[in-house]
Amino acid sequence: MGTTMSRSSNSSIRKSNKLLDEKDEKIEELKKEIKKLKKENESLKNKIEDLENKLDSHDDMAAFMENSAPEKIKKQERVKDLNDRNLPQIGDHVVSMWSKSQWQYFTATVKSFDKTDLKYLIDWDDKDPTGRTVDYFNLALDNVPSVQDIGVGSTVLFHQGTYSSTEIHGVSRSGGVRWHQGIVDNVTTTTNGAKLYEGRHTKTELDGKWVTYKGYSYQFTGYSIEDFRLPPNVFDVLSMDDDDDSDDDDDDEHYDVYISYSKINSPSAIKNKEVSEDLPPSYEEAVLESICDPRKIASNLREKGVKVVMVEEEEYLKIVTTLKKSKIFIACLSDEYASNNRCRMEFQYAKKTLKIPVVPLVVGTDSFQWQMTVVGLLIAGDLYIHFKNKQVEEAKMTELCRALQNFLPKLRISDVQHLATGDARMDLQNDPNKSITGKPAIQGKSEMFFSYCWSNSHDALKRKEVSSLAGNRWSDPRAILKKLSKSTGMKSWMDVDRLRGADEMGLFGQIATGMGDSKIVISCVSSEYAESDNCRMEIQFAVKSLNKPTIALIVGDSDTWKSTSVGKMVQQQLTYFNLQQINDETKLNSKIKEITKAIMDRVGEKSKYIAPSLEEERVFTAPVYGDHVVCLHQNWAYFMATVIAFDESSMSYTVDWDDGDPSGRVQSYQDVALDAVLSSENEIGLGTTVLFPQGSYAGTEGNNIGGVRYHQGKITNIYKDSSDITRYDGVHTKDSNDGKWVSFRGFDDNFDNLELGDLRLSPNAMDALMACRQAFQLEE
């Protein structure tokens, strides 16, 4: 018998099939959604990878974000940037020269600009149809300029006189104010802080200027900033219509540094007869031999791995494109630089328009009139690096390299001299957790401080940190330190392990602190050590200033150290061991045992070094507030003064001269000596640099009272006279080639028969630093 399905059963089946179909549809939809999400996820991954790659290719994240910004935002920022500049554009109201009557300026409106010829087409406010095409430099935006934009030497447009309405060529001209080109000669500040300006016309009747109008005066006085208008910078004009992205092609060459300088400050340019203008009166042949050449600075930077560009040609468009491809702008400042139109405009364009980081260097002679110019105003309060002469050039190159690395942390700079380590050279480090050699810096206090000269280290020679070795591998201070650290069980301080990258004074501060924390100082003395200013400074600071237990190890391969001030100190005051004859491991280990015993006898396992009480006695011998000193003034002549301040950042003293002279009151610690008789003959040996008296100077009305002249000299002979008094002979360290004045009455190339009481000594850097921290309560 057959079977039949009820109607209700059929209905259930249909419902089940429908549910299955709907489920299948949902599954398909979910599959499609998953596929879509996977595709979007893959796209997002690709975008993230692309962004990461772009980020890796940019040194500066801010620059990356700017270049990744939407075009609308970038366009808005370009418009804002143009509005912020002193740059006339179509529709702007301007003050412009009328070519029909040269060197008179009137108000107008810009109609168009021809970038090829750098000329504007304008409509005069008074409807005059003539003289409507004007050069960019004969036109100024009719806006009040910034106070920062106008200083001594600035070319401005100023108003003087008026003109009446008239009819010319059938056109009725309305009257108005006359404007003229002038130059600012003086800027003063009123009691309420307002600036007042004085100056004169740049053009006269000889230049074709009409000077018979009512109200004419060659000079202008008592003007405020509102009375001036300022012509545009040619570099702003040339880049007015540029698209920000047009110069960012990755295939184009880019530069770490753009150096801007005046050829008149370059001895090589002068010798090559590239300078057409007259040289400053101070540029005698001797001065040219002593000043630092910006071209040499550029060459030194290139040798250290810095990508440097200098545009020698007067090709303004090339200057604009090159500046846009440069990361840092170095300005070689001088009076001549500030008065040079191209230099001044380069500086303003880099700093104000492109906002490139500026590193200011001071070159040329010691005149600082540039500080009153617009260049000086734009960097007012900024620290500059003073390339005073060739004697400080190496030190200032190191300072410059540090400044560059502050702006470009990823920039690798090699072959840099670390002044606190003598003549040693290495890559410049800026990681605070690494030592100057690039290794992780050892932290914490030390017990044994090691002082040595890198020229005596075989290890330093192997690492190419020095170019030659004086000594042998058995007397290498670095190897000796490792053995003594192991034999004594004491934590040691050595520059390659502890000294972290910093400026010169930061390095000296670390050395002084490390030495102060230690129980004992080990000085590896040699002829090279005794001749090194920094090594000599370390042992003198340990023995004289800190009264620290000190042992000397004689290394190197000569005995000329014995006649120096270091040699006298070692032989008469310290325990010392001679390692010069060590030539194998057995002899070295035997000597290490002797040295270890001497160290432990001096400090003991449980003993602690106790520094002299600052309240009981004056520990440091450097000048401090209120001290009478012998101080450099100018032309390598030294005079009497009193210390009134100390600046740790520049390591310079401010003094009041005994004779009341108001000039030259800020001088480096190296050029200021305490006016006191030296405590011991041991402080002076052959080769010691001293200050000695020679000649005098007369008083002048209203300026000074006269006094004794002091000079820098070097000791060449020490002997006892018939009365058993120690006498000193020597020579000047400076002559006319160094810019020293040698025509004063009583001048002699030599000095002789002087006693200890006649001589003065400048402090070393660490003594000056620690003494002034103590006296002026400066923070470490």
Side-chain angles (χ1 to χ4, degrees), residues 292-303:
C292 299
D293 192 331
R295 291 181 175 178
K296 177 71 180 303
I297 294 172
S299 176
N300 283 341
L301 287 176
R302 292 188 184 104
E303 290 173 2

Side-chain angles (χ1 to χ4, degrees), residues 584-597:
D584 62 41
E585 188 76 17
T586 301
K587 291 179 181 178
L588 177 59
N589 288 336
S590 176
K591 189 65 71 172
I592 290 294
K593 288 181 180 179
E594 294 180 41
I595 300 169
T596 300
K597 184 178 184 305

